[in-house]
Amino acid sequence: MNNDNHTTPVLQVDSLNVYYGSFQAVRNVSFEVRPGEIFGLLGPNGAGKTSTLSAVEGLLKPQSGNIHVAGYSIREQPLYARANMGVQLQATSFQPELTITEIIQLYAGIYGVDLSKEQVLSILANIKLQDSANKKYGQLSGGQQQRISLVIATIHDPHLVLLDEPTTGLDPQSRRQLWVRIEAMRDKGHGILLTTHSMEEAESVCDRIAIIDHGRIIATDTPQSIIDSNRERPEVIQASRKGKITLEDVFIGLTGTEVRS
Amino acid sequence: MTTTIPSAGSVFIKLLRADMTTLWRNRRASLLVVLVPTVILISWKSIVAWKGGPFVLSNCITVGLTAIGLMGYSNTLARDRDKGIFQRLRVSPAPKWTIMTSRLTVQLFMILITTIVLFIVGDKFDGISLTPMGYAGGLAISIVCGAVYLSLGQVIVGLIKNVETVNVVTRLIYFIFIMVGMFGELGMMGEAMKQAVHWSPYGTVKNIISAAVVPTSWNKDSTMALLATLGYTIVFTVLGVRWFRWNTR
């Protein structure tokens, strides 16, 4: 751990700019995620969420800006920065020929954590998958795959956990279970950055959120503060459907009603 | 406190173990890769007397190397990229070179297995026996020659994003290599085609394997073929690395 202070951000993004050719996907984005905090990044399709997350993960090189994970620069010390983050990607998979025990052991090894078979079984028991220890990843249901993916993301007890639309495609029970697990990670002191399209999820789970649109952050605060500070705006009132202003109404009011591709 | 990351060597070993397990679990597909040149070798028994054992053996090894590079390597690479397996590995503290080197090491292992199987089948069924130097030279040069097809596979995966298209294109190129390579080399498609095949990646590889299994037959033409093979490998590697993308988006 490079940050001894509990208030030092586990993720610091400063003036991030990402271009694809001449198109600017991320414009001067800055935010931070603190230990023991769930920070939600919200935005319509193509708003710049995935580009921001990809830059944090080190999957793309930003044109300018600085990203530090647990004090390590993703540009200058990428392996150290990655060693301090756990990632659950939106479109990801593991080797379909390997059993989930083998996959957990592989990723634990990559992060420098040695796990015996008994320890893996204990981890699987915690997520109620001990009977599937010898099953291959492709044989699991969507909810079970999400649980494995989350276990692997946190197997090395990282400072920062990145979750890219973690509840997409899950049934309500699995989604609620996942929220409980995310909150448990927060309670253990992990800083969590999650992207989501679900306003219900953002409102229920996130301590703070940032709304991003056209590559810019247009609002950052707690969900309730964002609702309170925008409830009088005409476009938000117009977006309201049931009289009571929700985060979704504020989101639609701020980002517009137009469907993005 | 400071962060410690595992050594690149230990990460490489973990990845290699996983890739070897994957190879073992896909043993039926691997068996097919070995089976095609083996069947050709057995069915070409009558040609041994006409063109010589090294000619037949080198053709069959070349077919095996082509299958490993084009069908084995490129297809698993395209599939894993499409599924996001590489992206998941890239967000871990595994250095990029360990991910790809582990994959290549598995293919080099397959090259060794295929060559050894063909040596044994050639000896048992076609009576093609070599000197110890011939076997050693054949094994060593198979690895050198395998690199040209592995790098060609990398170029194809670099150029084509769709996994199904990669599958179709590699099968097509494999088929063309076998048909045009084998029959062109025999002179069945005219003198111009024979010359073209001779200096193609198929012909140069076949030529140097043929010389390596009988070291006393190594001549200037073999050296030129080796240089051409190394040239192809360098060009394909540069293009393959340049064009390769870790994801399909």
Side-chain angles (χ1 to χ4, degrees), chain A residues 32-47:
Chain A
E32 59 180 39
V33 179
R34 300 163 196 150
E37 175 184 54
I38 302 176
F39 187 91
L41 199 55
L42 277 61
N45 288 334

Side-chain angles (χ1 to χ4, degrees), chain A residues 118-138:
Chain A
E118 289 69 36
Q119 286 171 307
V120 174
L121 285 174
S122 157
I123 290 169
L124 289 174
N126 280 338
I127 54 168
K128 298 184 169 54
L129 279 176
Q130 66 270 38
D131 296 334
S132 304
N134 292 317
K135 273 191 184 171
K136 289 172 184 161
Y137 184 74

Side-chain angles (χ1 to χ4, degrees), chain A residues 37-134:
Chain A
E37 175 184 54
I38 302 176
F39 187 91
L41 199 55
L42 277 61
N45 288 334
K49 298 188 301 290
T50 302
S51 297
T52 303
L53 211 58
S54 296
V56 171
E57 291 157 352
L59 291 176
L60 63 82
K61 273 189 189 162
Q63 271 61 32
S64 62
N66 292 309
I67 299 168
H68 286 87
V69 178
Y72 293 103
S73 163
I74 192 77
R75 205 185 288 235
E76 283 152 28
Q77 295 169 291
L79 296 186
Y80 284 89
R82 284 180 193 151
N84 279 291
M85 67 168 101
V87 181
Q88 186 186 30
L89 295 169
Q90 193 187 125
T92 190
S93 185
F94 300 101
Q95 291 83 333
E97 294 85 358
L98 302 181
T99 66
I100 56 172
T101 302
E102 289 165 341
I103 290 170
I104 290 173
Q105 281 179 321
L106 167 65
Y107 279 88
I110 288 174
Y111 284 101
V113 180
D114 274 328
L115 291 179
S116 65
K117 205 155 188 174
E118 289 69 36
Q119 286 171 307
V120 174
L121 285 174
S122 157
I123 290 169
L124 289 174
N126 280 338
I127 54 168
K128 298 184 169 54
L129 279 176
Q130 66 270 38
D131 296 334
S132 304
N134 292 317

Side-chain angles (χ1 to χ4, degrees), chain B residues 161-179:
Chain B
K161 284 184 175 177
N162 183 280
V163 66
E164 293 303 327
T165 313
V166 169
N167 193 8
V168 170
V169 167
T170 51
R171 279 169 200 275
L172 196 66
I173 294 176
Y174 175 62
F175 182 73
I176 292 169
F177 261 67
I178 293 182
M179 299 312 286

